[in-house]
Amino acid sequence: MTTTIKDVANLAGVSVATVSRVINDRGYVHADTRKKVEDAVKALNFSPNEVARSLYTRKSKLIGLLLPDIANPYFPQLARGVEDGMQEQDFRLIFGNSDEDERKEQDYIQTFIQNNVMGVISSTNYPHSPIYENLKIPVVFLDRTSLDSPSVYADGREGGRLAAREIIKRGSCRITVMQGPSHIRPAQDRFEGAIEIIRDAGLDYRVIQTTSFSFNEAGLWAEELFSKHSDTDGVIASNDIAAMAVLHEALRIGRKVPDDVQIIGFDDIPMSSILSPGLSTIRQPAYEMGRKAAGLLIGLVEQAPIENKNIQLPVEFIERGTTRKVSTNG
Amino acid sequence: MTTTIKDVANLAGVSVATVSRVINDRGYVHADTRKKVEDAVKALNFSPNEVARSLYTRKSKLIGLLLPDIANPYFPQLARGVEDGMQEQDFRLIFGNSDEDERKEQDYIQTFIQNNVMGVISSTNYPHSPIYENLKIPVVFLDRTSLDSPSVYADGREGGRLAAREIIKRGSCRITVMQGPSHIRPAQDRFEGAIEIIRDAGLDYRVIQTTSFSFNEAGLWAEELFSKHSDTDGVIASNDIAAMAVLHEALRIGRKVPDDVQIIGFDDIPMSSILSPGLSTIRQPAYEMGRKAAGLLIGLVEQAPIENKNIQLPVEFIERGTTRKVSTNG
DNA sequence: CCTCTATGTGTAACCGGTTACAGATATTAA
DNA sequence: TTAATATCTGTAACCGGTTACACATAGAGG
């Protein structure tokens, strides 16, 4: 059927052990022999069965990637970063959407292990779940913090502070903060960072609690926001999707943005710059985070000495059209 | 180390063959024996090594998914549809970005095979490449047509026609059509469909040729469009990203949308409805396409009788704020 | 010329499952 | 009671690689 190492050995007139030595470049092989084997490999277009390999070595070129929902526009960038980083080192991805559901995560981790993946990158809210604590292979938490485990994340709390500082600096004083889903850690970090600053500034604030990051519901929360807090003059949204919905609703009901209401998002998804007005937001370097996670995991897998297992990337305020210009003497 | 079928056999006091029979529910097993084995499986929390299984059976629960670029917002929906469809049948995905690069596709297909995937879903521009022609496992082309191979796609040509009809019906007569990257088939289909109708209507048209679907360059083409064809009163964009860039640029240079310029996009990515004004577009049912592809591939893998190997899904005009209301007598 | 080490290659066990086959026992039919 | 058949279970080969080990030969050093 498909050509095996045995076929190569026969054609080259050597044993399978020798072929194995050649293709893995291990142990002693005479130059002439190596040539014969390489020719046979080419002639038969042989490439080794990774499954057989993996069975014996308990290794593979696979790693597992678990994200909440690839259809949420923040995650594809992470995924792409991970993929590019892995691809360069010849690792492949088994990918799954967890929907932030511990049970689904469990199932995926299970099949990852069954397929001998060398490591896992996971955006989970349950880093301390036994699922992970009992894993015998390296895990990197991505976009989620766990100080005692390797992780790559942006400074969400500082992001929240930054958003609050910038919006206050630009003159909003009846701020509404959207609090993202309570079980999603980064959402809470942002929220806490934001109210910390607002409180410190002695300002009042209102809260809109949301329960998902979905497109469909974003519109509803935006409506709720302006009906409950119609006097608000500044919105710190839980992410860019929510911010876009707020912007949409604000314009729909005739508010001027940014003159009547300022809006700051979170993530800086690619879309944000194309809006009109462009969305001011707190940028997370998602692609870079994905790459860093890939690099960190590969390091762990290869037992390289790792200097820093907790990589925190900086967030950044991206000033666009939904915030006012700050006065020059400010 | 990890518990194997041998451990289960020992604990249950039977042979590995019997354990295998129990976990695969195949052949004769005495009820009492089955109970003993099941208890042992539970006690040891055993789950079979899929790699070992796959080596002997040449089967697996893996399929390969190849998309051009998950960071392009159209594809995550496809991916999610595929994933959900596969997940329900306990299949897992090995995922890769091809960047529309035949070489990269080649490499991925290679590693898919090395890992015994049962089938492949691919968005490729090269369905007739030897890569695919020589594959011995089922392939489903997704979002790309190949009449002689299983495929799931939307009717791009009709989508182009639809866009042209709707924009003409609403009064544009100096239409600019954006022609997407020439090597991407669906982009060409749309383009051809659009100019077919415009020509039939006896109208003149201009063309802006683009070479990628990337966010960064979208803005440049939008600028080029209005500088070269400043009198245009209707734009049929190559996709929603391009359309958003055009909308952005139009507003920036002070055109009224839709009064001065109408814009129609393509895809209906989730963002489109959140814009202000909302983007009128030709909708492709991406998530549904992904699911259908998953279903079709599973059917092929399981050699079920397939009624229709070429699933074409309908496109649909979604009327939002970047096109004018059609007059009621129209 | 002899010993010691470096080089080169093959045999066979092993990874963890599945399954063909054989042998044993229980059940059924005549 | 006996033959035929159905049920139950274990032994061992197999999937396609990797590698420990044994053995053979060549080259180096004295």
Side-chain angles (χ1 to χ4, degrees):
Chain A
M1 188 69 76
T2 45
T3 86
T4 73
I5 199 173
K6 228 170 271 178
D7 303 325
V8 177
N10 288 340
L11 181 59
V14 300
S15 74
V16 293
T18 300
V19 177
S20 179
R21 286 188 198 103
V22 171
I23 62 182
N24 292 298
D25 204 15
R26 222 193 304 283
Y28 293 117
V29 181
H30 192 92
D32 298 352
T33 312
R34 158 165 288 120
K35 179 80 171 56
K36 278 192 298 182
V37 171
E38 283 167 350
D39 289 351
V41 165
K42 256 178 217 143
L44 297 176
N45 192 25
F46 169 74
S47 74
N49 181 324
E50 286 295 334
V51 174
R53 238 179 201 176
S54 176
L55 177 57
Y56 185 87
T57 62
R58 297 144 178 284
K59 296 182 195 316
S60 74
K61 283 307 218 171
L62 297 175
I63 76 115
L65 174 63
L66 211 38
L67 297 176
D69 178 11
I70 194 72
N72 175 328
Y74 170 65
F75 292 107
Q77 302 180 82
L78 283 180
R80 184 68 214 234
V82 171
E83 212 261 345
D84 285 358
M86 286 298 170
Q87 148 80 18
E88 281 169 14
Q89 308 289 322
D90 284 327
F91 282 90
R92 301 290 181 248
L93 259 35
I94 304 186
F95 166 75
N97 296 105
S98 71
D99 290 322
E100 320 262 9
D101 175 323
E102 194 168 1
R103 173 60 192 276
K104 246 180 143 180
E105 284 187 28
Q106 170 83 274
D107 286 354
Y108 267 109
I109 298 285
Q110 171 94 327
T111 64
F112 288 167
I113 292 169
Q114 289 181 320
N115 286 285
N116 277 3
V117 302
M118 294 300 283
V120 171
I121 295 181
S122 174
S123 289
T124 183
N125 298 300
Y126 318 101
H128 298 294
S129 152
I131 311 175
Y132 296 103
E133 309 261 326
N134 299 334
L135 258 192
K136 286 177 228 74
I137 52 175
V139 188
V140 169
F141 294 112
L142 176 55
D143 185 47
R144 310 289 158 116
T145 323
S146 170
L147 288 175
D148 44 335
S149 309
S151 47
V152 176
Y153 54 97
D155 191 346
R157 193 174 195 98
E158 180 58 25
R161 293 196 197 101
L162 198 49
R165 276 192 221 106
E166 298 293 341
I167 209 167
I168 292 171
K169 195 200 295 182
R170 287 168 176 73
S172 287
C173 54
R174 292 182 304 279
I175 299 168
T176 301
V177 185
M178 291 181 80
Q179 180 173 16
S182 59
H183 62 296
I184 298 182
R185 273 294 305 277
Q188 294 315 303
D189 291 345
R190 297 167 201 177
F191 177 73
E192 287 163 16
I195 59 175
E196 174 190 323
I197 294 295
I198 299 177
R199 211 179 264 145
D200 285 359
L203 293 174
D204 204 21
Y205 63 90
R206 313 102 218 277
V207 174
I208 289 284
Q209 165 89 53
T210 69
T211 58
S212 86
F213 277 150
S214 94
F215 276 94
N216 306 334
E217 301 169 63
L220 302 175
W221 288 310
E223 285 180 36
E224 181 187 337
L225 190 153
F226 286 110
S227 74
K228 277 200 185 159
H229 311 298
S230 63
D231 65 334
T232 201
D233 66 350
V235 177
I236 296 176
S238 45
N239 69 358
D240 281 355
I241 301 298
M244 288 181 193
V246 170
L247 172 59
H248 186 79
E249 178 67 8
L251 297 176
R252 194 184 70 78
I253 63 177
R255 303 289 165 93
K256 295 243 177 342
V257 177
D259 298 338
D260 300 343
V261 192
Q262 299 191 93
I263 302 168
I264 294 186
F266 209 103
D267 288 347
D268 193 28
I269 61 178
M271 225 74 48
S272 304
S273 64
I274 279 186
L275 287 187
S276 306
L279 182 65
S280 296
T281 191
I282 306 298
R283 169 164 217 275
Q284 299 196 71
Y287 178 81
E288 198 53 32
M289 287 165 65
R291 282 197 85 103
K292 287 263 196 265
L296 179 54
L297 184 61
I298 290 173
L300 291 166
V301 162
E302 293 173 350
Q303 314 210 6
I306 310 275
E307 57 306 339
N308 184 3
K309 291 196 203 308
N310 285 89
I311 304 179
Q312 177 177 287
L313 278 78
V315 296
E316 184 188 356
F317 176 62
I318 304 288
E319 181 169 21
R320 298 205 184 92
T322 55
T323 45
R324 301 189 279 270
K325 296 292 163 217
V326 68
S327 55
T328 44
N329 60 354
Chain B
M1 188 71 74
T2 46
T3 86
T4 73
I5 198 172
K6 226 169 275 178
D7 303 324
V8 177
N10 288 341
L11 181 58
V14 299
S15 74
V16 293
T18 300
V19 177
S20 179
R21 286 188 198 104
V22 170
I23 63 183
N24 292 296
D25 205 16
R26 224 193 303 283
Y28 292 116
V29 181
H30 192 93
D32 297 352
T33 312
R34 155 166 290 121
K35 179 77 170 57
K36 277 193 297 182
V37 172
E38 284 167 349
D39 288 351
V41 165
K42 255 177 219 144
L44 298 175
N45 193 24
F46 168 74
S47 74
N49 181 324
E50 285 295 333
V51 174
R53 236 180 202 175
S54 176
L55 178 58
Y56 186 87
T57 62
R58 297 143 178 285
K59 296 186 196 314
S60 74
K61 283 308 218 172
L62 297 175
I63 76 115
L65 174 63
L66 211 39
L67 296 176
D69 179 12
I70 194 74
N72 174 328
Y74 171 64
F75 292 107
Q77 302 179 81
L78 282 179
R80 183 71 213 233
V82 171
E83 212 260 346
D84 285 357
M86 286 298 171
Q87 149 80 16
E88 282 169 13
Q89 308 290 321
D90 284 326
F91 281 90
R92 300 292 181 247
L93 297 178
I94 303 186
F95 167 75
N97 294 106
S98 71
D99 290 322
E100 320 262 9
D101 175 323
E102 194 169 1
R103 174 58 193 277
K104 246 179 143 180
E105 286 186 27
Q106 170 84 275
D107 286 354
Y108 267 110
I109 298 286
Q110 171 93 328
T111 63
F112 288 169
I113 292 169
Q114 288 181 321
N115 285 285
N116 277 3
V117 302
M118 293 302 281
V120 171
I121 294 181
S122 174
S123 288
T124 182
N125 298 299
Y126 319 101
H128 298 293
S129 153
I131 310 173
Y132 297 104
E133 309 261 325
N134 299 334
L135 260 192
K136 286 177 229 73
I137 52 174
V139 187
V140 169
F141 293 112
L142 177 55
D143 187 48
R144 309 290 157 116
T145 323
S146 171
L147 288 174
D148 44 334
S149 308
S151 48
V152 176
Y153 54 97
D155 191 345
R157 193 173 195 97
E158 180 59 24
R161 293 196 198 101
L162 198 49
R165 274 191 222 109
E166 298 292 344
I167 209 168
I168 291 172
K169 196 200 293 184
R170 287 167 176 74
S172 287
C173 55
R174 293 182 304 278
I175 299 169
T176 300
V177 185
M178 293 181 80
Q179 181 175 14
S182 60
H183 61 295
I184 298 181
R185 272 295 307 278
Q188 295 313 304
D189 291 345
R190 297 167 202 178
F191 177 74
E192 287 164 16
I195 59 175
E196 174 190 322
I197 293 296
I198 300 177
R199 210 180 263 144
D200 286 359
L203 293 174
D204 203 20
Y205 64 91
R206 313 103 217 277
V207 174
I208 290 284
Q209 165 91 53
T210 70
T211 58
S212 84
F213 276 150
S214 94
F215 276 94
N216 306 335
E217 300 171 63
L220 301 176
W221 288 311
E223 286 179 35
E224 181 187 338
L225 189 152
F226 285 109
S227 72
K228 277 200 184 160
H229 312 298
S230 64
D231 65 334
T232 201
D233 66 351
V235 176
I236 296 176
S238 44
N239 70 0
D240 282 354
I241 302 298
M244 287 180 194
V246 169
L247 172 59
H248 186 78
E249 178 67 9
L251 297 175
R252 195 184 68 80
I253 64 176
R255 303 290 166 93
K256 295 244 177 346
V257 177
D259 297 338
D260 301 343
V261 192
Q262 300 192 91
I263 301 169
I264 294 186
F266 209 102
D267 286 348
D268 193 29
I269 61 178
M271 225 73 49
S272 304
S273 64
I274 278 185
L275 288 188
S276 307
L279 182 64
S280 296
T281 191
I282 306 298
R283 169 163 219 277
Q284 299 196 69
Y287 179 80
E288 197 54 30
M289 287 165 65
R291 282 196 85 102
K292 287 261 196 266
L296 179 54
L297 184 61
I298 290 173
L300 291 165
V301 162
E302 293 174 347
Q303 313 210 4
I306 311 273
E307 56 307 337
N308 185 5
K309 290 195 203 311
N310 286 89
I311 304 180
Q312 177 178 287
L313 279 79
V315 296
E316 183 188 357
F317 176 62
I318 304 289
E319 181 169 18
R320 299 203 183 94
T322 56
T323 46
R324 300 188 280 269
K325 296 294 164 216
V326 69
S327 54
T328 42
N329 60 353

